[in-house]
Amino acid sequence: MTKGQKILISGNEAIAQAALDAGCTFYAGYPITPQNEIIAYMSEHMPLQGGVFIQSESELAAINMVFGASAVGARAMTSSSSPGISLMQEAISYIAGAELPAVIVNVMRAGPGLGNIWPAQSDYFQATKPGHGDYHCIALAPSSVQEAYEVTKDAFRLADMYRIPVFILSDGMLGQMMEPLLADSQGSMADGKRKKLSTIDYRLSTKKWAATGCKGRDAHVVKSFYMNMGELERFNLELQEKYKKIKAREQKQEALYIDDAQVVLVAYGTMARLAKEAMAILRKKGVKAGLLRPISVWPFPEDIIKRLTVSGKRVVFLVIEMSYGQMVEDVRLAVNGRAQVEFLGRSGGGIPSEEEIINKTVALLNC
Amino acid sequence: MKKVFSRTSSLRDVDTHYCSGCGHGIAHRLIAEAIDELDIREQVIGITPVGCAVIAYNYWNFDCVESPHGRGLAIATAIKRVRPQNIVFTYQGDGDLAAIGTAETIHAANRGENLTVIFINNAVYGMTGGQMAPTTLIGQKTATSPRGRDIGNEGYPLKISEIVAQLPGVYSVERVSCDSPKGVLKAKSAIKAAFKNQMDNKGFSLVEVLSACPTYWSLTPADSLDWMQNTMSKEFPLGKIK
């Protein structure tokens, strides 16, 4: 591949390539379907770029390796799928508590438990309202291979800027699907002419806090433990300030035909592709439908929903998910009783079809 | 006046939070002295565990990373791979290294990571209040083995050093005991050698340090040393294992 040339690539591989192009120098992972293309791609390409690839003994080890690599200043990533992410949950809280940048890819499959390897969106809660302690991760949900590439690259920037773990919330459909990708990779993936990272300008921010050996400075400690009275509360308030800043600056969405919409379809990721098609068909039928597609699911794009609803204009939100209702809670909070919020969802392998979305929308407007 | 002895520069001038007779203070100092004698303080990155020694970085004057419970060797692996120019060591207790972190220990050892591991074995969980550890002796009473460790119910003391020594990727394993001035000196030379091995790119080196916990052994500090010499070191024989 040369710069400016389109290639056909899967969503999983696009995420891996994006990480390499963003200057990710460390990847650790453990095999789990449906994300295995990421770890395989990294094992092939990361060493060629001069970075470190490790197939770890578990997801626990993988995320803690990311913790370690990040603590000494590397741009680090891991990837997994739903049950594997559950195993990583503890360390993600430590990463948030130690204010380390990290990128974590969840190619969601259906649950609970081992569930199956079909695509699902049932880990929304886990990504947006994560594990123990008061913390947040930024969570980005692409809905095409191209966007998977772009948000993954951006995830490294956001992770460094805010010193925060960033989730890429993909799913088995998007991960396995192949689409054309226009990447801005420097050098070739196939011809062995990839440049070593040291020669690539990836604008890695200077990480003055990293533990790199105390030559010429006081010792650094990377930690999340605050034992003294009041110390943890003060630290948590600082974290909350950071989250407030992120909420104010980093909400990201695609909004189509929402200004005159009687019904706004709200969907993200793979589900939003079907919702978009349904919206187009509804518009052809004369139904004023719009689409709100959150790209950042944390911070959730609540500002645009507030703007749509404070005017008192009558609008119905139909939230469609490959789950039994997770993002719908955030829509209800943003709407705050000012409009009707309805839900359509399937999970366990099923995906709401265009027809189901259209029928539900028409039924809503007729009642 | 000529100064003949002073605190080594890798140790800070702070009060201890450890109990009377606790072995952690000795081990901290031995590590600090070994690092300074090898003149590597500015290259060292220490990984502290979850347990009594989590705040070892309050005593040590070099860069440290605090690990989630048991994951020290996953973190150390990544750090050393990313920054091979640094000297990376983990400091881990028996619960951390030999219970919750067993998988990380075995796999880092098996990969032959060029790391130094200081494994503090005091046969009990200290920070949480004296519960049974994987290394608790048969018959030893703890908060969670109140009738004494029973092999039918709790199994045998886990000899992780002997297990690790079997792995081809491991360069050196030694068990020492801080139970006497002589034992402390031996411990120091083992710790120093384990750092030197890493500097020479020899690979994975583990030093198991038998260490006193008078509080949760319900013994005086002096009786604790006797117990280590006469009982604990019978279960955990001292010396070079590999």
Side-chain angles (χ1 to χ4, degrees):
Chain A
M1 183 180 74
T2 50
K3 208 169 176 176
Q5 191 187 341
K6 275 192 177 178
I7 53 161
L8 191 65
I9 193 170
S10 72
N12 281 341
E13 291 166 312
I15 284 173
Q17 183 59 43
L20 295 171
D21 291 343
C24 174
T25 54
F26 185 91
Y27 173 91
Y30 185 85
I32 182 172
T33 309
Q35 64 80 53
N36 294 312
E37 292 76 14
I38 301 179
I39 180 170
Y41 198 94
M42 284 302 200
S43 71
E44 172 72 21
H45 296 280
M46 181 63 94
L48 297 178
Q49 192 162 294
V52 178
F53 166 85
I54 302 177
Q55 179 172 330
S56 61
E57 59 271 27
S58 67
E59 286 89 348
L60 299 177
I63 189 68
N64 281 283
M65 287 174 180
V66 165
F67 181 114
S70 180
V72 298
R75 280 192 157 170
M77 182 173 99
T78 185
S79 60
S80 190
S81 179
S82 310
I85 298 292
S86 295
L87 282 170
M88 294 183 181
Q89 196 81 68
E90 180 205 26
I92 294 170
S93 177
Y94 278 71
I95 290 170
E99 289 196 281
L100 293 176
V103 175
I104 303 140
V105 182
N106 182 0
V107 184
M108 290 183 283
R109 57 190 258 180
L114 195 53
N116 62 33
I117 57 171
W118 290 68
Q121 293 181 324
S122 38
D123 304 345
Y124 178 94
F125 283 153
Q126 198 181 33
T128 61
K129 300 147 208 331
H132 77 278
D134 280 300
Y135 76 94
H136 282 288
C137 300
I138 292 176
L140 306 173
S143 83
S144 68
V145 170
Q146 183 70 43
E147 194 174 48
Y149 179 85
E150 280 157 16
V151 300
T152 303
K153 277 190 81 175
D154 203 38
F156 284 92
R157 179 187 66 85
L158 292 167
D160 277 356
M161 187 197 301
Y162 295 108
R163 294 177 59 181
I164 193 171
V166 180
F167 265 108
I168 305 298
L169 204 54
S170 178
D171 65 67
M173 179 80 86
L174 185 57
Q176 297 297 317
M177 179 173 73
M178 291 180 91
E179 283 187 317
L181 169 71
L182 185 62
D184 50 5
S185 313
Q186 305 206 5
S188 166
M189 285 182 274
D191 63 8
K193 287 184 191 156
R194 175 186 298 289
K195 291 180 187 174
K196 289 274 177 190
L197 271 178
S198 56
T199 66
I200 298 175
D201 170 25
Y202 54 90
R203 299 186 185 192
L204 192 55
S205 52
T206 313
K207 294 171 177 174
K208 287 186 182 151
W209 44 265
T212 52
C214 62
K215 192 171 181 157
R217 58 162 170 76
D218 288 342
H220 285 174
V221 177
V222 174
K223 62 164 194 162
S224 64
F225 183 61
Y226 296 93
M227 194 61 174
N228 296 333
M229 180 75 87
E231 211 181 1
L232 180 59
E233 197 165 357
R234 276 196 299 279
F235 172 73
N236 278 340
L237 287 171
E238 283 170 27
L239 274 187
Q240 292 305 314
E241 280 305 308
K242 173 163 88 175
Y243 298 147
K244 239 189 251 173
K245 216 180 272 176
I246 295 171
K247 273 188 169 187
R249 290 178 186 166
E250 306 296 347
Q251 293 180 31
K252 208 172 164 193
Q253 71 278 321
E254 182 186 21
L256 294 172
Y257 302 102
I258 56 167
D259 288 329
D260 71 338
Q262 297 166 283
V263 177
V264 175
L265 307 177
V266 189
Y268 71 96
T270 290
M271 196 62 247
R273 299 169 72 106
L274 290 151
K276 198 173 186 175
E277 286 303 310
M279 179 199 73
I281 296 167
L282 284 162
R283 281 269 165 184
K284 274 186 198 150
K285 288 181 183 226
V287 177
K288 285 184 175 172
L291 175 74
L292 176 62
R293 178 174 73 85
I295 298 169
S296 64
V297 285
W298 201 92
F300 185 73
E302 56 189 27
D303 291 353
I304 190 165
I305 292 179
K306 279 183 193 154
R307 187 167 60 72
L308 272 176
T309 50
V310 286
S311 64
K313 191 185 72 162
R314 206 181 128 75
V315 58
V316 181
F317 290 88
L318 175 58
V319 184
I320 312 143
E321 299 179 59
M322 288 146 63
S323 80
Y324 289 106
Q326 299 194 12
M327 184 176 69
V328 65
E329 294 191 3
D330 284 336
V331 177
R332 288 209 174 100
L333 282 170
V335 165
N336 200 16
R338 291 182 295 259
Q340 186 183 346
V341 179
E342 295 294 333
F343 176 72
L344 173 66
R346 290 174 65 182
S347 186
I351 300 176
S353 66
E354 281 168 19
E355 200 180 3
E356 285 172 297
I357 299 168
I358 291 162
N359 291 345
K360 175 93 179 182
T361 308
V362 171
L364 274 175
L365 291 174
N366 290 341
C367 68
Chain B
M1 196 192 290
K2 192 181 162 207
K3 200 171 187 179
V4 293
F5 184 81
S6 65
R7 179 181 297 102
T8 192
S9 55
S10 282
L11 273 188
R12 296 175 196 274
D13 183 10
V14 289
D15 294 338
T16 186
H17 81 291
Y18 292 116
C19 306
S20 306
C22 172
H24 277 305
I26 301 170
H28 286 12
R29 176 165 152 187
L30 296 182
I31 289 167
E33 287 179 352
I35 286 170
D36 290 335
E37 285 169 22
L38 294 165
D39 196 22
I40 51 173
R41 189 184 77 88
E42 295 181 332
Q43 290 144 262
V44 160
I45 301 174
I47 317 299
T48 69
V50 167
C52 291
V54 57
I55 55 170
Y57 46 70
N58 286 358
Y59 303 102
W60 287 328
N61 185 20
F62 45 74
D63 280 11
C64 284
V65 176
E66 174 194 278
S67 166
H69 197 23
R71 315 296 169 221
L73 279 165
I75 289 177
T77 293
I79 291 178
K80 186 69 183 180
R81 296 277 193 109
V82 170
R83 294 187 61 85
Q85 67 270 44
N86 286 100
I87 301 298
V88 183
F89 79 95
T90 66
Y91 185 98
Q92 299 179 264
D94 37 51
D96 196 85
L97 180 134
I100 195 168
T102 312
E104 284 76 6
T105 304
I106 299 287
H107 285 275
N110 194 49
R111 287 189 301 264
E113 301 292 343
N114 188 25
L115 294 169
T116 303
V117 181
I118 311 301
F119 167 34
I120 306 297
N121 178 2
N122 59 13
V124 79
Y125 283 72
M127 198 189 204
T128 45
Q131 294 86 355
M132 189 189 72
T135 50
T136 292
L137 270 54
I138 296 162
Q140 187 184 337
K141 288 183 179 172
T142 70
T144 50
S145 57
R147 286 166 291 279
R149 182 174 189 158
D150 167 19
I151 51 170
N153 207 38
E154 285 101 20
Y156 296 87
L158 189 64
K159 295 192 175 74
I160 200 93
S161 291
E162 279 81 353
I163 295 170
V164 161
Q166 303 297 314
L167 303 170
V170 171
Y171 180 71
S172 154
V173 181
E174 186 165 358
R175 186 182 285 120
V176 293
S177 180
C178 289
D179 58 9
S180 63
K182 193 178 161 195
V184 170
L185 289 175
K186 271 194 173 168
K188 182 169 167 188
S189 73
I191 289 169
K192 197 169 165 183
F195 278 107
K196 187 74 174 43
N197 291 343
Q198 186 180 160
M199 294 167 74
D200 296 340
N201 291 310
K202 298 286 190 193
F204 195 89
S205 299
L206 184 146
V207 181
E208 176 175 341
V209 182
L210 303 189
S211 180
C213 182
T215 301
Y216 290 114
W217 293 351
S218 301
L219 296 172
T220 64
D223 289 347
S224 295
L225 299 180
D226 287 344
W227 189 76
M228 288 165 79
Q229 286 162 8
N230 300 320
T231 307
M232 193 180 180
S233 57
K234 299 285 182 293
E235 183 67 35
F236 295 104
L238 307 182
K240 191 98 168 114
I241 300 168
K242 187 174 191 180

